Amino acid sequence: MWLLMVIGVGCLSGFILFRKNTLTTYHEPIQGPEKLSIIIPARNEEYNLRYLLDSLQSQTITPYEIIVVDDFSEDRTKEIAESYGVKVIANSSLPEGWTGKSWAVWNGYLQASGDIFAFLDADIRLKPKALASLLKARELSKGVISVVPFHHTEKLFEKLALIMNMLGIFTFTSVFERNNAKKGLYGSCILALRQDYEKVNGHQSIRSEVLDDLSLGEKFIAAGVPITNYIGYGLVSFRMYPKGIKSEIEGFSKGAVLSTSTISPRTIIPIALWVIGLIISETVFIFANTSWFMPLLIGYLLYMFQLFYFIKYVGVFGIVIPVFHVVATVFFILIMLYSIYQVVFLRHVSWKGRHIQVGGHRD
């Protein structure tokens, strides 16, 4: 009985955390600024970039300018960007004390002339009404918005991100984060007025931070600019790591441990309860021939059905991984252990061929 109670509390915590704070679809933005500058930092993004640029060409509104900052790519990123006729900037050498992405975004901002900025990662994909909907959501929020994109996956190793993506949704949409002074933004898709961005001195103010998006959110809040996070279901999606499982491990592990320092304890506690209940339920495979089998099986199935309900709004994960969610949980545990190893022992994290020192300096 106690097993079912613990697992039940865990499942309930998931429903408490999960908020379907999806974007509303609009054809045209209300009164907002007329000039939208889209800034895309890109490092070795020849595969992803064309999807984003194609989707930008099909929008119901036309951005004032699209700026791609080529961050020392070693592939065809620059060539592909130029073929779309967008403004392409070759990033300058990374100064001491800056992380690569923040420096690329900052250089894009220096070349932008719009009234409002959309900072988009190169792996983003937009439905035709996405820009109009994003602009209206930003205006209604009267501050800065970010979007947790719907995760489009194709290969099996990409679907291993199930638990990581669920925890991301929990964190960024949790009702308990509303009054968190350290509330973060989701860096893949951020919209901000120029005046708000300049008010906090933009990415220059968080130039050394590994978790630039979380740190930027904190800066906005400190300056009195509200931030709102949405789920991108139906409008904004991405394919995070199509190149292989190595990039997936690097991508998730670089912030897995560090990000916990910015989350409100009122969010961490139900997340911990959800994870504990999940892991306990998955021990059903260990205790198959014991009296614990039946309550553990019931718990396992409860989590499975809950995941199927959630992932409708989170991403494409097929049937196999949600049914055998224990596999995704093992992947999550390995990611956390690797992240701890990097942060505690190596004192740096790795991403796209760069080593970023924990505390902000680069190798």
Side-chain angles (χ1 to χ4, degrees):
M1 181 61 71
W2 69 269
L3 282 174
L4 274 179
M5 289 180 63
V6 173
I7 294 170
V9 168
C11 267
L12 180 61
S13 297
F15 284 115
I16 291 172
L17 287 164
F18 185 74
R19 288 291 179 271
K20 291 186 289 185
N21 193 28
T22 56
L23 289 166
T24 302
T25 301
Y26 294 100
H27 294 278
E28 299 291 341
I30 58 175
Q31 302 171 358
E34 296 180 356
K35 294 182 179 180
L36 169 64
S37 295
I38 295 178
I39 299 171
I40 306 167
R43 179 174 170 84
N44 297 331
E45 294 286 0
E46 66 176 4
Y47 175 83
N48 282 316
L49 188 58
R50 66 178 69 251
Y51 289 100
L52 173 55
L53 296 178
D54 280 338
S55 69
L56 286 171
Q57 289 184 338
S58 66
Q59 293 301 300
T60 57
I61 64 169
T62 303
Y64 177 71
E65 61 185 351
I66 300 172
I67 300 171
V68 174
V69 185
D70 178 32
D71 187 16
F72 294 96
S73 297
E74 298 171 344
D75 59 8
R76 298 176 61 246
T77 295
K78 182 179 179 181
E79 178 183 338
I80 289 170
E82 289 175 337
S83 72
Y84 282 83
V86 302
K87 186 174 184 178
V88 181
I89 299 171
N91 206 21
S92 55
S93 298
L94 185 62
E96 186 67 30
W98 282 80
T99 60
K101 181 180 178 182
S102 289
W103 179 239
V105 172
W106 182 251
N107 279 299
Y109 151 72
L110 292 176
Q111 297 292 321
S113 54
D115 305 300
I116 184 170
F117 303 134
F119 302 108
L120 303 179
D121 280 0
D123 57 6
I124 289 290
R125 304 174 184 188
L126 303 172
K127 293 295 185 181
K129 298 173 184 176
L131 280 185
S133 301
L134 287 166
L135 285 169
K136 187 159 188 178
R138 197 227 59 81
E139 291 186 81
L140 292 174
S141 75
K142 302 186 186 304
V144 178
I145 70 166
S146 76
V147 178
V148 183
F150 184 83
H151 191 183
H152 174 73
T153 68
E154 295 182 10
K155 298 179 181 178
L156 183 61
F157 73 83
E158 296 175 80
K159 301 180 192 300
L160 293 175
L162 172 60
I163 303 303
M164 299 298 299
N165 284 157
M166 280 307 316
L167 295 179
I169 292 288
F170 286 163
T171 299
F172 284 95
T173 64
S174 168
V175 67
F176 303 119
E177 292 298 300
R178 288 177 181 172
N179 298 318
N180 181 6
K182 294 184 177 182
K183 182 178 179 179
L185 293 162
Y186 199 89
S188 294
C189 178
I190 297 173
L191 267 75
L193 289 176
R194 171 185 284 273
Q195 63 190 45
D196 289 335
Y197 186 74
E198 293 177 346
K199 187 176 183 179
V200 300
N201 204 21
H203 282 75
Q204 187 175 52
S205 67
I206 47 95
R207 58 188 176 274
S208 65
E209 299 295 334
V210 176
L211 304 177
D212 54 286
D213 46 0
L214 300 182
S215 301
L216 189 59
E218 185 178 351
K219 292 290 184 181
F220 280 122
I221 291 175
V225 180
I227 66 174
T228 307
N229 296 319
Y230 293 92
I231 297 175
Y233 171 72
L235 287 170
V236 181
S237 64
F238 58 8
R239 188 177 177 197
M240 296 183 77
Y241 306 112
K243 293 182 179 179
I245 194 168
K246 179 181 178 182
S247 63
E248 184 175 12
I249 292 171
E250 281 190 349
F252 280 122
S253 65
K254 66 184 173 71
V257 170
L258 294 174
S259 62
T260 59
S261 64
T262 68
I263 306 172
S264 165
R266 291 186 298 170
T267 296
I268 290 178
I269 290 172
I271 284 178
L273 291 173
W274 187 80
V275 171
I276 289 169
L278 176 69
I279 293 174
I280 289 176
S281 75
E282 290 167 344
T283 62
V284 65
F285 298 102
I286 299 175
F287 297 102
N289 296 317
T290 71
S291 60
W292 289 5
F293 174 72
M294 190 53 65
L296 289 173
L297 178 61
I298 293 172
Y300 188 92
L301 294 175
L302 282 174
Y303 267 97
M304 182 184 76
F305 289 124
Q306 185 184 58
L307 287 170
F308 272 116
Y309 170 71
F310 286 158
I311 63 176
K312 174 184 176 181
Y313 304 95
V314 177
V316 178
F317 294 97
I319 296 176
V320 174
I321 293 299
V323 170
F324 296 99
H325 52 79
V326 60
V327 178
T329 301
V330 170
F331 182 72
F332 157 70
I333 292 172
L334 292 175
I335 289 291
M336 293 302 296
L337 291 174
Y338 182 54
S339 184
I340 292 171
Y341 169 70
Q342 290 186 96
V343 171
V344 176
F345 296 100
L346 298 182
R347 301 299 299 168
H348 69 71
V349 295
S350 300
W351 181 234
K352 292 192 175 182
R354 287 175 171 146
H355 288 167
I356 306 171
Q357 294 283 342
V358 175
H361 301 291
R362 65 182 177 88
D363 286 345

